Amino acid sequence: DWSSDVCSSDLSFTVSRAYRNSPPIRSGQRLFEAAAAMIEHGLSAVTVVNQSNRLLGVVSEDDLLRVLLAALS
């Protein structure tokens, strides 16, 4: 039941369950690799992990758009 995951105090467990079908992006990979993974897998976000597969964060479509807009302005 996803609602019990959302209420979980362990955020990394919640995020890993929510993005379990997301291919992880390694810290240090380029943003276009995150964007390509999102497109390839039909996702609106991907997880970012370190070398030990520890969750560092999430990159979303909104994050990519902010970077694009900043680069164009």
Side-chain angles (χ1 to χ4, degrees):
D1 176 61
W2 69 269
S3 61
S4 64
D5 292 342
V6 171
C7 297
S8 170
S9 62
D10 182 358
L11 182 59
S12 64
F13 176 76
T14 302
V15 172
S16 68
R17 295 265 304 172
Y19 292 99
R20 76 175 123 213
N21 295 324
S22 166
I25 300 299
R26 299 266 178 224
S27 175
Q29 282 187 270
R30 295 181 166 185
L31 283 178
F32 77 81
E33 293 173 282
M38 286 182 215
I39 291 168
E40 180 180 341
H41 297 280
L43 303 169
S44 60
V46 291
T47 54
V48 180
V49 298
N50 66 12
Q51 295 299 335
S52 302
N53 287 326
R54 182 171 173 82
L55 179 68
L56 300 176
V58 175
V59 174
S60 69
E61 290 174 334
D62 288 345
D63 296 326
L64 295 175
L65 286 173
R66 283 186 189 99
V67 171
L68 178 62
L69 286 174
L72 294 174
S73 56

